[in-house]
Amino acid sequence: MTAVGQQSPGGMSIGSVLDRLRPDFPDVTISKIRFLEAEGLISPERTPSGYRRFSIADCERLRYVLTAQRDQYLPLKVIKEQLEAIDSGVAQIESAEATPRKPRTLSVAPGEVSADDFLADREVRVSKSDLMSRAGIDDTFMTELLRAGLIVPGQAGFYDEGSVTLARTAHSMTQFGLEVRHLRAFKLAADREAGLVAQIAGPVAKGRDAGARDRAEEMVRELAALSLTLHTCLVKSAVRGALDR
C-alpha cells in the first residue's frame, strides 16, 4: 500500500487521496470526491480497467475546492470559475497554509418573522429565460424544478420574484450534493403548514360581515410568520446535534 504523502508511478487511488485530505477535511468522503468529479471540478485519469488515478495536481485542486467551500462558503459554480481562471493562467492557486482562514457567514432566517414580511409585493412578471439567468440555472435544472412542483408559473406563463429566489436557493442547496427530488420534502412540509393555516383562516374569510376577508388575510400573515419562526427554531434545534448522531 502506498504511504500517505507518496504517489505511486501510476498515480494515487481515490482512497489514497482521501487519506491525504482527511487530516484537514474530516468530513470529506469518496462520494464527495466523485461528486466533485461529476461537476467538472477535477478530471483524474482512468486506467484501462476504469479505476481513477489521481495526480498530486488533482489532490491540490481538491484541496483548493474544499478550502473554498469550508472557509469562504463559495458555491461550486464560483469555485469552478476560479479554477478555470487558474487553468488559463489568469490566476494562481494559493496554498491553504498561505491563505488566512476567513470566518464563514451563513445566510439564515431571522429568529422572528413579522407578518409584514408576507404582504404582497408589487407584481413583477418574470419570464422563464430571465428567471434562469438571474438564478444562475440552466434549462435542465429549471425543468427539474417544474417537474418537482417547486416552481409553478402563473396563468400567463410568467413567474414572480419569489420564484427567482426559490430557484437560486434550490441551486445553492444542490451544490452540497442534494438533488431536486430531495427538496420535495421541503415543499410537502410547506404545503402541510399552509393547509393548517387555511383551516383556521378559511372560516373567517367566509364571514358575511364587512372586512371578513381583510381579517382573514391578516390572520394568514400572522400565522405564516409564526409558522416560519417556529420552523426556524425547530430546525436550529435539530441540526445542533445532527453531526453527533
Side-chain angles (χ1 to χ4, degrees), residues 180-203:
V180 171
R181 60 186 177 88
H182 297 140
L183 306 184
R184 279 282 299 165
F186 296 90
K187 166 67 173 172
L188 294 174
D191 288 343
R192 285 195 295 270
E193 292 179 19
L196 288 174
V197 171
Q199 287 180 23
I200 298 172

Side-chain angles (χ1 to χ4, degrees), residues 169-239:
T169 303
H171 186 254
S172 295
M173 294 180 74
T174 61
Q175 306 305 301
F176 293 88
L178 291 171
E179 298 178 11
V180 171
R181 60 186 177 88
H182 297 140
L183 306 184
R184 279 282 299 165
F186 296 90
K187 166 67 173 172
L188 294 174
D191 288 343
R192 285 195 295 270
E193 292 179 19
L196 288 174
V197 171
Q199 287 180 23
I200 298 172
V204 177
K206 295 177 181 178
R208 296 183 179 181
D209 58 306
R213 179 75 182 185
D214 290 339
R215 288 200 308 275
E217 290 180 354
E218 178 63 24
M219 183 179 294
V220 166
R221 290 194 295 271
E222 290 283 355
L223 284 171
L226 291 170
S227 173
L228 186 54
T229 299
L230 177 63
H231 178 81
T232 301
C233 293
L234 290 173
V235 171
K236 285 182 178 180
S237 176
V239 299

